[in-house]
Each structure stands twice: as structure tokens, then as C-alpha cells.
Amino acid sequence: GDDILSLAHEWDIDLEGACEGSIACSTCHVILQPNVYDVLPEPSDDENDMLDLAFGLTDTSRLGCQVL
Ligand code: FES
């Protein structure tokens, strides 16, 4: 896929993705630049629920596997 998690793996960047994109973990948590965050579609309810469990949650946090 073209999501951040897949891209990170393609480029050998160490981003975990324990559940491989099924919104069942928060190991793919990424903190985005505000200008990037602002142009993305809103996170789904499922993503928000999982983000609530992410360590170090910020206002511009997303699940990497859900960001296209
Ligand atoms: Fe598990 Fe993204 S890889 S929620």
C-alpha cells in the first residue's frame, strides 16, 4: 500500500506495525507536522479509539497505517 507504514518499511525506517494495518494496535503511531495533519481526511472513529491508547499522543498524532 501507499500508507505511511508501508512507505516507512520500504525505506527501512523503523516504524512498528504490529497488527499490519487492521487498527488493532497503536505501534504505528506517528506525529505529523501540523501542515501535513491539516490536509488529511479526518481519522475514523476506530482510529481515534486506538489513538487514545497511543503513548505520547499529540494533537497531530495519527496511526501511520491509516494515513494515505
Ligand atoms: Fe496496527 Fe497501524 S499497524 S494500527
Side-chain angles (χ1 to χ4, degrees):
D2 282 335
D3 56 278
I4 288 183
L5 181 61
S6 306
L7 287 175
H9 288 169
E10 220 164 283
W11 291 92
D12 275 332
I13 293 165
D14 195 15
L15 182 63
E16 253 188 89
C19 79
E20 307 207 324
S22 49
I23 321 185
C25 74
S26 57
T27 58
C28 64
H29 176 208
V30 291
I31 297 172
L32 301 174
Q33 299 293 325
N35 60 328
V36 174
Y37 186 89
D38 286 347
V39 299
L40 294 171
E42 299 276 304
S44 65
D45 290 346
D46 285 346
E47 181 180 348
N48 275 325
D49 287 350
M50 205 48 69
L51 276 171
D52 284 339
L53 307 175
F55 178 78
L57 185 67
T58 75
D59 284 347
T60 62
S61 290
R62 294 294 303 264
L63 294 179
C65 68
Q66 299 303 305
V67 176
L68 301 175

